[in-house]
Amino acid sequence: MTDLSQAEQRRRAIHGWLLLSPALAMLGTFAFYPSVATFWTSLWSRGTRRRPSEFAGLENYRALLEDPTFWKVAWNNLLYAGTTIPLSIAIALAMALWANSKIPARSFVRTAYFTPTVLPMIAAGNLWLFFYTPSFGIINKVGALFGAPAVNWLGQPETALWAICLVTVWKESGFFMIFYLAALQTIPPDLKEAAEIEGASRWTYTRRIVLPLLMPTTLFILVNAMINSVKLIDHLFILTKGGPSDSSKLILYYIWENAYAYFDRPAAAAMTVLVLIGLGLLAAFQFTVLDRRTHYR
Amino acid sequence: MTRLIEPVLAVALAILWISPLLVAVWAAFHNVSDAINFRPTAPLTLDNFRTAWEGAPWLRYFLNSFLLVTSILIGQFVLATLAGFAFAQVRFRGRDAVFTLVLLQLFILPEVLIVENYRVAARLGLLDTILGIGAPYMASAFGIFLMRQAFKSVPRDLDEAARVEGCSLLGVLWRVYVPAARPTYIAYALVSVATHWNNFLWPLIVTNTDSARPLTVGLSIFGAPENGVDISVISAATLMVVAPLLILFLVFQRRFVQAFLTAGIK
């Protein structure tokens, strides 16, 4: 392709840009422009009817850092990520190992694990109401059989966030299982045979061979799970609405609340910018630290 | 001993995992007091479904959800095909830089940009329309990436043969690349439909009347405490809403799982 004429090269460039232009126009309108505009909005004060908004510099960020609710919500989100991510990854791994082994009713087991993935989070919220409701919730009923006192799981600050976490783990594990299942099936069977010949126990085989081979998959799932921990908030709308007293409020919910309940766009924008920075760091982590080849064949 | 324990644990976990769904089925077919007291001999009833069905314009919501996922899918197919082809098979300067820029969108979640996207949608007159719900998702970096990978694996010979026959660039794309990438299209379609059929936050923000509300938003309004519906009716409504996708999933299970994999591996 060295003897390409300049005209040919130019023709290709025009074709290339023409093919890209619809996608770039849409990405520009709904991803890049809004990102920049969000940053710009975050630098202006909240306008009122009497006083138009004026340039405020980093004032909104300062106010945010002084807002105890913001810290509460950020902390909640860290707890949410820190709880749901390891739990769902561990459960997903167990699910995949089982779903990949020769057990009876294997296809039922696989289907059951994966089913929550195809349900809307809003519907999941409704389904779980039945488990958490104080007067007749199933968890309390089962607890009562063992003499445990009734707990208002969603109605008290000590348990609300954990109840939300549980629904998320339930929703996510089956999804992550799929990736582990695929990775398990690429492990050559000779490895297992070799391990058996050497007399290694199943546990040793799993720990020394399977788990290391699953590392790239785990990292891939980890990045996905971290992104999702910002995004997965739909069930809050049904189960707790962030309450009681902000105990289960997550950052995206708080952004929504600031923008559409308190009409404080600049505060919402400042928070959005902070989340975008967080996601950007995550992107940098993925592109630099993680091996690109394993994820982008 | 361990041989027995593991299958038992696996099946127990499976039952635990679908128990919320099973409980909803139980509740939906019983009246409230029978449902919450778990009387196994209680009579079955369809009243909850009747009440739920009459309580909201579900047909409208179903239609909206259907139109929504279809329009998003068409938009995604067109944009991802054109852009994916450009990134995979057309060489020009600046391509790699733009590709990196596009990949950035994987991390700029539309969910996080709700506030500013709302303004954009308002300015374009897209509030309370199905197009308004769908537009932010149409140019998906993920879809572009997926199509680029699919097009890259198409053998060069096919491309050249078509060109020798006098096919134009778009002709080659349409006759050679698109048919070759069919499995990727199907996988992408399943994941896209599942995602957008289930999406909630953005549709909630953009819509304010029943004319554009999808099922998820309709369900959340229907089940809100101030509407005073009981848990059996909510269960019935929830089952109605999840039924289409759930049935689709149970019928095309293998395909679905495969789709999530293809799409997830990226």
Side-chain angles (χ1 to χ4, degrees):
Chain A
M1 293 217 192
T2 43
D3 55 344
L4 275 181
S5 67
Q6 267 201 317
E8 171 66 12
Q9 272 189 8
R10 187 174 307 153
R11 202 172 59 89
R12 284 196 173 180
I14 291 171
H15 280 161
W17 288 106
L18 279 180
L19 287 166
L20 286 183
S21 54
L24 289 182
M26 290 297 269
L27 278 176
T29 314
F30 291 103
F32 301 130
Y33 165 75
S35 306
V36 176
T38 302
F39 177 64
W40 186 239
T41 307
S42 76
L43 300 178
W44 290 72
S45 74
R46 177 185 178 178
T48 56
R49 199 168 293 178
R50 293 236 190 100
R51 238 166 21 130
S53 73
E54 42 189 55
F55 192 80
L58 295 176
E59 179 56 31
N60 290 312
Y61 292 91
R62 201 188 54 79
L64 204 58
L65 297 183
E66 282 174 6
D67 170 15
T69 312
F70 171 73
W71 286 107
K72 174 89 184 138
V73 166
W75 173 242
N76 282 348
N77 224 127
L78 277 180
L79 276 183
Y80 181 69
T83 314
T84 58
I85 293 173
L87 255 183
S88 31
I89 289 182
I91 294 176
L93 185 59
M95 284 173 165
L97 288 170
W98 282 331
N100 196 44
S101 63
K102 291 190 188 74
I103 57 164
R106 193 171 64 170
S107 66
F108 160 72
V109 166
R110 269 189 203 187
T111 311
Y113 293 161
F114 190 70
T115 303
T117 304
V118 291
L119 301 179
M121 204 58 173
I122 280 292
N126 280 340
L127 301 182
W128 278 83
L129 264 185
F130 230 120
F131 281 65
Y132 288 140
T133 317
S135 49
F136 52 83
I138 300 203
I139 298 183
N140 281 347
K141 285 207 159 172
V142 173
L145 295 180
F146 299 98
V151 176
N152 186 358
W153 299 101
L154 297 170
Q156 55 174 23
E158 295 78 24
T159 49
L161 184 62
W162 308 118
I164 293 292
C165 285
L166 192 59
V167 179
T168 309
V169 170
W170 172 77
K171 180 93 166 106
E172 294 261 276
S173 322
F175 180 52
F176 297 153
M177 169 195 74
I178 295 300
F179 301 107
Y180 275 132
L181 206 51
L184 283 175
Q185 282 163 3
T186 61
I187 296 178
D190 349 344
L191 284 177
K192 178 150 200 167
E193 281 161 29
E196 271 162 11
I197 291 167
E198 297 279 325
S201 70
R202 231 189 95 205
W203 168 236
T204 315
Y205 167 72
T206 306
R207 197 168 51 96
R208 304 289 289 275
I209 297 175
V210 176
L211 292 187
L213 285 174
L214 290 180
M215 261 330 266
T217 314
T218 306
L219 287 173
F220 165 77
I221 293 175
L222 189 67
V223 170
N224 256 291
M226 289 202 273
I227 294 174
N228 280 354
S229 68
V230 174
K231 199 159 76 163
L232 278 179
I233 60 150
D234 293 357
H235 47 332
L236 288 180
F237 285 85
I238 297 281
L239 292 174
T240 63
K241 304 204 184 300
S245 52
D246 299 330
S247 59
S248 65
K249 197 167 284 174
L250 300 175
I251 197 141
L252 185 54
Y253 192 93
Y254 196 44
I255 291 177
W256 172 82
E257 211 173 43
N258 265 288
Y260 298 101
Y262 311 148
F263 300 103
D264 192 346
R265 286 242 163 97
M271 263 188 280
T272 307
V273 170
L274 294 181
V275 172
L276 285 177
I277 291 173
L279 290 171
L281 291 176
L282 195 61
F285 168 74
Q286 189 182 22
F287 285 123
T288 55
V289 180
L290 303 189
D291 184 5
R292 292 182 66 150
R293 270 171 312 164
T294 44
H295 303 287
Y296 301 112
R297 313 186 275 190
Chain B
M1 189 60 181
T2 42
R3 289 211 171 169
L4 200 74
I5 286 177
E6 289 210 21
V8 169
L9 282 179
V11 173
L13 188 68
I15 292 171
L16 197 67
W17 236 242
I18 51 164
S19 61
L21 210 54
L22 296 179
V23 171
V25 172
W26 164 270
F29 287 99
H30 292 87
N31 68 46
V32 197
S33 74
D34 287 342
I36 62 180
N37 291 317
F38 282 97
R39 288 196 297 132
T41 53
L44 298 174
T45 169
L46 286 173
D47 282 351
N48 299 315
F49 287 95
R50 204 168 298 130
T51 316
W53 183 258
E54 284 162 2
W58 296 107
L59 224 48
R60 179 82 234 180
Y61 296 153
F62 270 106
L63 181 69
N64 289 341
S65 273
F66 177 78
L67 292 175
L68 175 66
V69 295
T70 332
S71 59
I72 292 181
L73 194 60
I74 292 171
Q76 285 178 332
F77 271 7
V78 172
L79 296 180
T81 301
L82 295 178
F85 181 61
F87 285 131
Q89 299 295 354
V90 186
R91 281 159 198 256
F92 56 96
R93 212 185 299 161
R95 187 180 71 167
D96 295 339
V98 183
F99 187 59
T100 313
L101 192 70
V102 169
L103 282 188
L104 260 185
Q105 198 251 338
L106 287 175
F107 294 89
I108 307 178
L109 308 172
E111 284 78 10
V112 178
L113 291 175
I114 44 176
V115 182
E116 208 55 50
N117 273 345
Y118 180 84
R119 277 201 204 171
V120 172
R123 235 175 286 160
L124 297 174
L126 293 176
L127 291 187
D128 209 25
T129 64
I130 287 173
L131 192 62
I133 310 177
Y137 298 99
M138 285 179 184
S140 129
F142 167 62
I144 293 171
F145 188 86
L146 207 61
M147 292 327 296
R148 170 181 173 266
Q149 296 309 93
F151 292 152
K152 273 197 154 180
S153 62
V154 173
R156 212 56 218 176
D157 310 355
L158 278 177
D159 179 314
E160 271 152 25
R163 277 174 213 253
V164 170
E165 298 278 326
C167 251
S168 67
L169 194 69
L170 282 181
V172 178
L173 172 60
W174 183 246
R175 301 231 174 95
V176 178
Y177 285 91
V178 170
R182 244 186 78 186
T184 310
Y185 280 112
I186 293 175
Y188 185 33
L190 282 174
V191 173
S192 166
V193 166
T195 310
H196 294 290
W197 188 272
N198 293 343
N199 197 9
F200 171 72
L201 185 61
W202 175 245
L204 171 77
I205 290 168
V206 175
T207 58
N208 41 41
T209 65
D210 284 332
S211 67
R213 266 179 200 142
L215 278 169
T216 45
V217 179
L219 180 64
S220 78
I221 294 170
F222 179 78
E226 55 270 26
N227 284 345
V229 284
D230 66 51
I231 197 102
S232 284
V233 176
I234 291 183
S235 295
T238 308
L239 288 184
M240 272 174 2
V241 168
V242 301
L245 206 60
L246 199 61
I247 291 168
L248 203 71
F249 163 64
L250 292 176
V251 175
F252 297 104
Q253 234 189 92
R254 192 171 280 269
R255 264 254 148 100
F256 244 97
V257 170
Q258 214 65 45
F260 273 91
L261 255 181
T262 315
I265 282 176
K266 299 196 224 179

